[in-house]
Amino acid sequence: MGKYELLRARLAAELPQLQAELALPASDGELALVHTPAYIEAVQHGTLSAAALREIGFPWSPGMVERARRSSGATIMASRTSVRDGVAANLAGGTHHAYRDKGSGFCVFNDVAVATRLMQTEWAREQASARSSQERSLRVAVIDLDVHQGNGTASIFQGDDTVFTLSMHGARNFPFRKEAGDLDVDLPDGCGDDEYLHALEQALDELERRFEPQRVYYLAGADPHEGDRLGRLKLTFDGLEARDRRVFDWAWQRRLPLTLAMAGGYGSRIEDTVQVQMNTFAVALSYWQMWQRWQNRVS
Ligand SMILES: [Zn+2]
């Protein structure tokens, strides 16, 4: 938990161009676009079973509920901002292990799934009011590069051809029973920069062949880093920065609004995790600046 505060402090000190805003909590109605009413209610009132809480991995408290709601709210807010600005981020989120009806692996609500459904709903309403019927649904790509599979996200969007879920993850890492996403890339223990970046290139090529997204969510987990306690991979700071740059560049070349969520990071040294994330935000800022220059030129 300490990493969030450290990151926030370093961002304010070192990237003062970043504009930070406080996120509103996601409402019951927003959460219910993905989660079952019974699960939302059990989280809200602290009536989850002991087993359900064990699977989430931290104890219930009013603060835990508040945090989970605001984390989804931040991804919603960043989604709207990215449509306007090209790039926006949640300084948390990427809680991709949450299913419709249960939490798991430090994830309570699935922020990216909730935001995706809300953006699709708002988009459909705008299409209807503009009487434009060519496009039936907003197409969203989720590029999940956290070291753990985005199993909740894959499960939520299974069989939905409006959302493409791409996950690159450690084959032998949690979750040990993986869900089938649209594109799953299993990486061996000890995977290094070159092998990883090659796999990423192939995955983006395949995404391109199979899907035409209008929006991108990027889960930039810091846990593929070699100093991570849980990651089992061996990416360096430079390798992870190249990864980030590749994803941002891919979206930028296609002028696809990109919403960044942080996802995991459990460094033996917490400073290393924060450093990986600082590098991600520096890359994000540079692409945000490109968007602003481009928009100023064309407007
Ligand atoms: Zn992770």
Side-chain angles (χ1 to χ4, degrees):
M1 282 291 182
K3 70 182 179 179
Y4 296 103
E5 214 175 321
L6 288 170
L7 178 68
R8 177 72 191 254
R10 280 197 62 187
L11 287 171
E14 297 169 44
L15 296 176
Q17 309 94 311
L18 280 186
Q19 300 158 14
E21 289 181 61
L22 186 66
L24 293 170
S27 67
D28 285 352
E30 287 164 343
L31 295 173
L33 293 170
V34 168
H35 296 289
T36 59
Y39 176 59
I40 297 167
E41 202 169 292
V43 171
Q44 180 62 32
H45 299 296
T47 55
L48 292 161
S49 70
L53 273 176
R54 259 199 312 279
E55 193 168 350
I56 289 173
F58 39 62
W60 186 89
S61 68
M64 172 260 215
V65 179
E66 172 89 3
R67 180 176 181 279
R69 282 187 184 269
R70 284 192 191 262
S71 185
S72 287
T75 298
I76 290 170
M77 202 159 151
S79 302
R80 295 200 177 112
T81 306
S82 74
V83 173
R84 191 190 68 210
D85 283 3
V87 173
N90 178 358
L91 280 180
T95 42
H96 56 172
H97 299 310
Y99 284 69
R100 289 176 192 285
D101 59 351
K102 63 170 189 165
S104 177
F106 310 131
C107 304
V108 179
F109 299 126
N110 195 312
D111 60 317
V112 166
V114 168
T116 293
R117 285 297 186 228
L118 186 61
M119 293 308 109
Q120 289 186 318
T121 304
E122 292 181 352
W123 192 84
R125 196 165 53 216
E126 279 165 31
Q127 295 286 302
S129 69
R131 296 181 191 282
S132 125
S133 54
Q134 306 98 310
E135 303 268 14
R136 279 177 314 148
S137 195
L138 182 73
R139 294 181 305 276
V140 175
V142 180
I143 300 177
D144 185 342
L145 302 187
D146 187 277
V147 83
H148 303 101
Q149 195 213 15
N151 55 337
T153 316
S155 155
I156 288 164
F157 293 119
Q158 255 161 25
D160 182 333
D161 61 8
T162 67
V163 180
F164 191 99
T165 57
L166 158 59
S167 177
M168 282 182 47
H169 45 257
R172 297 186 52 218
N173 213 322
F174 177 91
F176 302 105
R177 225 195 94 242
K178 309 237 184 323
E179 301 285 345
D182 290 298
L183 178 54
D184 290 296
V185 180
D186 287 322
L187 302 164
D189 285 0
C191 177
D193 292 346
D194 290 346
E195 188 178 356
Y196 187 97
L197 293 170
H198 180 69
L200 175 59
E201 211 55 52
Q202 289 187 318
L204 291 173
D205 282 349
E206 184 170 342
L207 165 54
E208 172 105 62
R209 278 197 303 277
R210 291 173 47 194
F211 193 68
E212 197 184 341
Q214 296 159 282
R215 305 269 192 277
V216 173
Y217 286 94
Y218 174 33
L219 282 75
D223 45 15
H225 186 251
E226 58 190 342
D228 198 89
R229 285 181 291 120
L230 306 181
R232 308 174 74 114
L233 305 191
K234 289 228 166 0
L235 272 75
T236 64
F237 290 112
D238 287 348
L240 283 163
E241 191 178 328
R243 171 199 76 167
D244 294 337
R245 212 167 270 292
R246 188 64 193 102
V247 175
F248 275 99
D249 206 61
W250 190 87
W252 159 249
Q253 294 296 336
R254 292 155 186 79
R255 299 299 188 271
L256 299 173
L258 184 152
T259 303
L260 173 71
M262 285 191 6
Y266 315 92
S268 304
R269 290 167 22 97
I270 192 171
E271 301 81 12
D272 287 348
T273 297
V274 174
Q275 185 59 52
V276 170
Q277 290 163 342
M278 281 299 292
N279 296 344
T280 302
F281 274 89
V283 171
L285 181 61
S286 73
Y287 281 90
W288 180 87
Q289 287 165 333
M290 282 194 245
W291 270 93
Q292 308 322 302
R293 283 196 295 271
W294 179 67
Q295 286 176 331
N296 291 337
R297 207 190 58 226
V298 296
S299 65

